[in-house]
Amino acid sequence: MADVIDEAPDAVTLRLQLEEPGGFLPGQYYNVRLEVAERQRPVQRAYSVGSSPVPDPSVIDLGVREVPGGLLSPRLVGFRTGQCLEVRGPYGRFTWTGEEAGPVLLVGAGSGLVPLMSMVRHAVHRGRSDPVWLICSAATYDHAFYRDELAGLADMHRWLRLVHCITRDPTEERADYHRRVDKAVLSECLGETRPARAYLCGPPAMVESVAAALVDLGVGPAVIATEKYD
Ligand SMILES: Cc1cc2nc3c(=O)[nH]c(=O)nc-3n(C[C@H](O)[C@H](O)[C@H](O)COP(=O)(O)OP(=O)(O)OC[C@H]3O[C@@H](n4cnc5c(N)ncnc54)[C@H](O)[C@@H]3O)c2cc1C
């Protein structure tokens, strides 16, 4: 049974109480299956978990952004509290174990922020002190997932360095940059520091260009983990 929480004009969090909780790691996803009139078989899509497995892994928050013209995401964004959803998982190797010592870089665009939020929430629970840069790319500030919670966490925890790249609102004063994440943004944010781990999530083109920029800046490909939402 889902609780529905508005995240943005085109996005929700679906909070689910799992009937058979198996535990998950930050960064993993579940497959959601739904019957739709247009198809004979249930349609299945992947959605990442935005919540932390600590303290309660039996409750998962899935963050869903509506893809216009899509089969499943508009239906999920239109979900009402109390409706039931079939999920299977967790899956995926884009994971944060909690042992990530040293500086960490997280870069997410659009709904790509969802698994990164699970990592940040988990790091808060574990009492992290090493720096974490979280670079969020969104069309407008109001489209950025978790913007209020993240602003509060960044105020509270010096290790969390929050950066907003706002791509379609040049007047937005809360933006750190009014463009996409590029090599200059990464270089300015990181300064002389090179992350011990980097996690990149979102549209394939963004993930690939940020990974290439990081390698140009001297980050070893082996420490860069990617999740592409194709
Ligand atoms: C590992 C993983 C994790 C993910 N996590 C998340 C997450 O946390 N949050 C999230 O919001 N998304 C996530 N996604 C993306 C998600 O799984 C879906 O791909 C997304 O929601 C779109 O699904 P849909 O059914 O709405 O769209 P689809 O029906 O799959 O359509 C996608 C696009 O293709 C177009 N299209 C469809 N059919 C046609 C056609 N015949 N001709 C031309 N164009 C067509 C649609 O208009 C739409 O623009 C994740 C993906 C992966 C792989």
Side-chain angles (χ1 to χ4, degrees):
M1 180 136 13
D3 268 340
V4 185
I5 301 156
D6 287 336
E7 289 290 351
D10 59 352
V12 295
T13 284
L14 300 177
R15 179 162 295 163
L16 307 173
Q17 174 74 54
L18 298 177
E19 283 178 5
E20 295 171 22
F24 66 93
L25 285 171
Q28 289 192 300
Y29 66 90
Y30 281 74
N31 282 329
V32 170
R33 286 158 66 93
L34 201 65
E35 307 265 0
V36 300
E38 297 93 317
R39 296 286 164 89
Q40 287 184 333
R41 293 173 165 209
V43 175
Q44 176 171 296
R45 298 283 185 270
Y47 293 97
S48 304
V49 185
S51 48
S52 164
V54 183
D56 185 1
S58 73
V59 177
I60 57 167
D61 284 359
L62 303 181
V64 184
R65 181 170 162 266
E66 178 169 349
V67 174
L71 206 48
L72 219 63
S73 61
R75 287 174 166 85
L76 295 176
V77 169
F79 241 54
R80 294 281 161 263
T81 290
Q83 282 184 268
C84 285
L85 201 56
E86 184 185 344
V87 297
R88 292 186 184 176
Y91 301 107
R93 295 198 295 185
F94 180 73
T95 53
W96 168 287
T97 64
E99 311 296 322
E100 287 74 3
V104 172
L105 172 68
L106 310 176
V107 184
S111 55
L113 205 65
V114 176
L116 309 183
M117 190 64 183
S118 178
M119 297 174 186
V120 169
R121 286 170 167 156
H122 192 241
V124 169
H125 279 291
R126 302 236 347 171
R128 190 178 173 88
S129 55
D130 288 340
V132 175
W133 282 267
L134 175 59
I135 304 183
C136 311
S137 179
T140 74
Y141 190 78
D142 288 341
H143 282 82
F145 271 78
Y146 317 121
R147 55 199 173 279
D148 296 336
E149 182 180 344
L150 282 171
L153 289 176
D155 276 348
M156 222 179 317
H157 301 287
R158 288 192 54 203
W159 53 264
L160 181 60
R161 300 162 190 191
L162 180 61
V163 177
H164 280 288
C165 290
I166 300 301
T167 58
R168 292 198 204 150
D169 183 359
T171 63
E172 176 54 70
E173 291 178 357
R174 291 163 292 185
D176 298 282
Y177 296 93
H178 292 96
R179 61 180 200 267
R180 292 181 171 183
V181 186
D182 58 22
K183 189 171 160 185
V185 168
L186 294 164
S187 175
E188 277 180 39
C189 292
L190 294 172
E192 297 300 310
T193 307
R194 291 296 169 264
R197 290 284 290 160
Y199 294 85
L200 319 178
C201 185
M206 166 273 185
V207 168
E208 283 158 19
S209 72
V210 171
L214 286 174
V215 171
D216 277 356
L217 289 170
V219 180
V223 305
I224 303 173
T226 60
E227 186 85 289
K228 297 177 187 175
Y229 286 0
D230 357 58

